[in-house]
Amino acid sequence: MAVFPFSCVGRSMRGILLPTAAVIGFSCLLTYFFVLYQPIVGPGIVQRLGWQAWDAVATVDYFDKEPSKPTVTGNPADGQPIPVNDDETDWWETTKNQSWGTTDDIESYPLDVWAPLLSHDTGLSEIAIMRCMMSPSLVENLCAPTITVEQDAIKGNWVRVDRDLNKQAGLWNLNIYYRRTRRLDIPLITDLRLLPANEIPEPLSDSWVKVDLSIRYGVMRAEPMYLWYLLGKTMNEMNAEEKSSLITEVDILFGEDRPWYGFEKIEPAVTPEKEGQLESVYVTYRRGAQSVPQAHPLHFSRDGKFKILQVADLHFSVSRGICRETNIDPCVNSDNLTNTLLGHVMDEEKPDLVVFSGDQLNGQGTSWDPKSVLAKFAVTAIFGNHDEENGDVKQEQVRMMNALPYSLVQRGPKDIHGVGNYVLDVKSADASKTSLLTLYFLDSGSYSSGYLDWLGYFFPTEYDWIHEDQINWFLQESSKIQAIQRPFTPDTGKDFGSIWNRQADQITPTTHKLAKPNAMMFFHIPLQESYGTADRDPRTGQVLDIGLHDLEGFGAAKKSDGMFDKGLKKALESGHVASGDIPEVKVVANGHCLTILTVLQR
């Protein structure tokens, strides 16, 4: 009887299974590392590395141009000219503001991220319109145009314009997508048109491309309209003027007001305005790389003046605005009327600084696209209780305001309450550039408590207040302010003619002292002490309470961390005992309830 050699079978099976297992295991390992494994986001992922990912932007330095020579100024009192050295120029003409560069802190910009605030000079190569049954941000690329590795390498990755064309009406989300490329051999877009279905661009050429999907797709009873784009030369074939006319960004504007700085509207409106029902929707675009004008460092004039215009509670909306609390009849388009009034005031007063002291946005469901609303104004600002009710958060609004012309707004420290706690200083006009005025800006918050109704709407019950960490921040910033000799005398009297001598004659002689410069503070919601009994002028006995009264009720927060006693009264202009307890901050300016100015006395 033959015995079956089981050991031989085992050896045979092992010889087959081990190599097979090794191949399968190695294949699984490769699949894991190259397909399934998603590494932790590191610097490479954050920077979106890749040959198409970054575009070096050549910047034109403001100081590369030849500074304009100062003109001969005159003394308005005696009509005599003040001699000015032709080889000299005002220091603020050749000094960068400390806030310059805060919005553009990188030397190159990502090509595959929609960032309309960045001043790209890289052209677009293709445009598409896509629909989505839900927000594209939730499903990422499922609703994006079809991609291929070859096309992405040639024309760039698809970028979604993160503005829903059907936000107000429509059965689904509708977004514009585009490709951006830095290749030198790809035709780039030089023009855009919006035309009804039965029209074509004139003159028509093979370079005009029609986007397949109607830009009104999904809107009931809306006539189809199509976006056309013109492909021009390649970057290699363009001269400098042609490069500056490239379409470099696409955005969406809600409402009938002006588009974002540097952008132009494409007529007609994608969604026409229906008063009281729908706000108009426009496609906007930017040509070339348009640098935002920057403000000069704040400084007094040569005659020792600095004028501030405070604008409180604009309550701007996406719409043209609704008139309230006015006897103007008829009254329509309140935002436009307000802008006209502001323009007239600025022309008449010619302020050196404009401060918007909160509630620039109306909130209450009317400012749901802050970017379209913020395009209506600029300069420096603090936030109010309505500014964050709808749309983008304050941090994003700061980024937007930083991209507006002449803006001085700052984000401020991130480790304390609020957004927009910052300090500006105003310097002298002479060569010493002495800080003569300190401006504190604080975020008094929005609401400290409230409740949600059964529909999910938030109803506030109490206002927020300036918190203890903000008070400590203010005291810390105040301690950094250097004392100056007061009254101040400029370095060289010849630069100012006889102006300072005349002012000295009008001032009661006093002993010179070392003390901090005077300061002002701006925040939106008033302190409880603003509603207390006003002091009296020790010289005249008159009540130091000037202006309109009782037009609005008590508007301060019910709670307080003691900003008045622990902050304003503790920050003194001098630490010397003989100087007394004179506060550094002489004026506190608020919004919220009309405009309240609190003047702190000794």
Side-chain angles (χ1 to χ4, degrees):
M1 181 177 177
V3 179
F4 189 80
F6 285 102
S7 59
C8 294
V9 174
R11 284 194 297 269
S12 300
M13 293 297 294
R14 183 175 61 183
I16 296 173
L17 293 178
L18 284 179
T20 303
V23 170
I24 294 175
F26 187 66
S27 300
C28 292
L29 191 64
L30 292 177
T31 303
Y32 174 73
F33 276 110
F34 290 99
V35 179
L36 300 179
Y37 175 61
Q38 297 296 324
I40 297 173
V41 175
I45 299 298
V46 172
Q47 295 174 0
R48 312 182 71 88
L49 295 180
W51 81 274
Q52 268 275 90
W54 293 85
D55 169 40
V57 176
T59 57
V60 178
D61 196 337
Y62 172 83
F63 304 103
D64 287 343
K65 67 180 182 180
E66 181 181 356
S68 57
K69 294 184 178 181
T71 57
V72 176
T73 58
N75 187 331
D78 52 24
Q80 297 299 318
I82 299 175
V84 179
N85 190 334
D86 287 342
D87 296 329
E88 295 179 356
T89 187
D90 293 321
W91 64 262
W92 55 85
E93 296 286 350
T94 57
T95 305
K96 286 188 177 181
N97 194 300
Q98 292 179 354
S99 65
W100 288 18
T102 56
T103 57
D104 293 334
D105 55 355
I106 55 176
E107 295 181 355
S108 55
Y109 301 143
L111 302 185
D112 50 359
V113 175
W114 183 66
L117 301 184
L118 298 181
S119 187
H120 271 289
D121 68 349
T122 315
L124 311 183
S125 60
E126 188 175 357
I127 295 178
I129 296 176
M130 302 298 294
R131 68 171 187 173
C132 197
M133 301 303 293
M134 60 186 69
S135 174
S137 60
L138 299 177
V139 295
E140 295 297 335
N141 294 327
L142 291 180
C143 295
T146 303
I147 62 173
T148 64
V149 176
E150 294 78 13
Q151 288 297 305
D152 286 353
I154 295 172
K155 295 184 177 181
N157 296 328
W158 284 108
V159 177
R160 184 181 76 251
V161 176
D162 196 17
R163 291 285 187 270
D164 181 12
L165 290 161
N166 287 350
K167 186 176 181 68
Q168 302 173 94
L171 303 177
W172 38 67
N173 290 268
L174 198 67
N175 291 86
I176 294 177
Y177 288 76
Y178 62 70
R179 295 182 190 265
R180 185 191 297 278
T181 180
R182 65 177 181 178
R183 285 185 56 144
L184 304 179
D185 58 344
I186 301 299
L188 300 176
I189 297 174
T190 58
D191 201 5
L192 296 171
R193 301 271 181 89
L194 273 177
L195 298 173
N198 58 349
E199 293 186 20
I200 58 176
E202 295 290 346
L204 182 64
S205 68
D206 293 338
S207 298
W208 279 103
V209 179
K210 178 183 178 182
V211 177
D212 293 334
L213 197 63
S214 168
I215 202 167
R216 291 176 175 173
Y217 190 77
V219 180
M220 300 293 290
R221 296 183 296 276
E223 293 294 329
M225 181 172 290
Y226 291 89
L227 179 64
W228 293 72
Y229 59 90
L230 178 64
L231 289 174
K233 300 178 181 179
T234 67
M235 187 67 79
N236 253 344
E237 301 168 335
M238 293 184 181
N239 56 36
E241 184 178 354
E242 290 170 331
K243 290 177 182 178
S244 66
S245 297
L246 278 176
I247 305 293
T248 56
E249 191 56 88
V250 176
D251 199 355
I252 303 299
L253 171 70
F254 296 98
E256 284 291 336
D257 288 284
R258 64 188 179 189
W260 197 257
Y261 176 80
F263 283 78
E264 303 174 45
K265 290 181 182 179
I266 302 179
E267 298 284 355
V270 175
T271 301
E273 180 184 27
K274 293 183 180 179
E275 188 173 352
Q277 300 179 41
L278 294 175
E279 304 305 329
S280 55
V281 180
Y282 287 91
V283 176
T284 64
Y285 65 91
R286 182 177 60 211
R287 292 186 182 275
Q290 301 196 23
S291 300
V292 178
Q294 302 290 336
H296 289 303
L298 299 178
H299 59 277
F300 279 80
S301 64
R302 289 193 174 276
D303 58 355
K305 296 180 181 179
F306 185 81
K307 182 182 291 187
I308 300 175
L309 172 64
Q310 181 191 358
V311 181
D313 297 75
L314 289 171
H315 283 268
F316 278 166
S317 306
V318 173
S319 70
R320 305 187 202 203
I322 300 174
C323 296
R324 297 189 307 175
E325 301 172 358
T326 179
N327 54 8
I328 300 176
D329 187 24
C331 181
V332 294
N333 304 336
S334 65
D335 288 4
N336 296 345
L337 293 175
T338 301
N339 266 335
T340 301
L341 174 62
L342 286 178
H344 176 72
V345 171
M346 293 179 69
D347 288 340
E348 290 293 323
E349 296 294 334
K350 296 179 175 57
D352 299 292
L353 176 67
V354 180
V355 178
F356 294 94
S357 55
D359 280 1
Q360 289 75 243
L361 308 187
N362 187 50
Q364 307 171 78
T366 67
S367 50
W368 40 267
D369 187 58
K371 188 166 180 287
S372 295
V373 181
L374 292 175
K376 300 182 181 185
F377 73 93
V379 190
T380 193
I382 51 178
F383 289 111
N385 51 292
H386 288 294
D387 288 318
E388 203 175 26
E389 287 184 358
N390 308 115
D392 298 290
V393 297
K394 292 177 181 177
Q395 292 90 331
E396 183 63 22
Q397 291 185 41
V398 168
R399 287 185 63 251
M400 294 176 186
M401 286 190 279
N402 277 334
L404 289 169
Y406 311 113
S407 175
L408 297 172
V409 177
Q410 298 177 23
R411 163 62 173 89
K414 299 180 180 180
D415 57 349
I416 64 174
H417 281 82
V419 176
N421 301 293
Y422 59 101
V423 184
L424 299 177
D425 70 319
V426 187
K427 300 183 182 300
S428 63
D430 67 328
S432 70
K433 295 187 283 188
T434 305
S435 295
L436 298 182
L437 175 65
T438 307
L439 304 175
Y440 294 99
F441 301 86
L442 284 86
D443 181 6
S444 57
S446 301
Y447 305 104
S448 61
S449 61
Y451 64 90
L452 296 174
D453 68 2
W454 61 281
L455 290 176
Y457 291 102
F458 178 76
F459 286 88
T461 56
E462 289 187 17
Y463 293 120
D464 207 348
W465 64 92
I466 296 176
H467 293 259
E468 185 174 1
D469 56 359
Q470 293 173 283
I471 299 173
N472 293 335
W473 169 83
F474 160 63
L475 293 174
Q476 183 180 17
E477 293 298 315
S478 174
S479 67
K480 299 176 184 177
I481 305 299
Q482 297 294 319
I484 62 173
Q485 189 179 60
R486 295 174 49 185
F488 171 76
T489 303
D491 264 2
T492 53
K494 67 178 183 180
D495 290 337
F496 298 84
S498 58
I499 294 174
W500 289 93
N501 293 332
R502 294 200 313 274
Q503 290 188 351
D505 294 339
Q506 299 170 8
I507 299 175
T508 303
T510 183
T511 304
H512 283 76
K513 63 179 179 180
L514 284 176
K516 297 177 185 177
N518 288 325
M520 296 179 65
M521 182 176 288
F522 297 88
F523 52 87
H524 184 66
I525 299 176
L527 300 175
Q528 296 174 358
E529 289 80 2
S530 297
Y531 295 90
T533 303
D535 294 333
R536 292 182 178 273
D537 189 324
R539 296 168 299 176
T540 64
Q542 293 183 345
V543 177
L544 296 171
D545 189 4
I546 302 171
L548 302 173
H549 303 276
D550 303 324
L551 293 183
E552 294 190 53
F554 184 83
K558 297 178 182 178
K559 300 177 182 178
S560 172
D561 279 354
M563 177 61 178
F564 189 80
D565 291 320
K566 298 178 182 179
L568 294 170
K569 294 178 70 174
K570 291 291 185 182
L572 304 179
E573 68 173 24
S574 175
H576 199 281
V577 177
S579 300
D581 56 353
I582 302 176
E584 175 199 4
V585 177
K586 304 301 192 297
V587 176
V588 177
N590 307 116
H592 194 57
C593 299
L594 296 180
T595 300
I596 297 178
L597 293 178
T598 304
V599 181
L600 282 73
Q601 301 297 313
R602 293 193 176 199

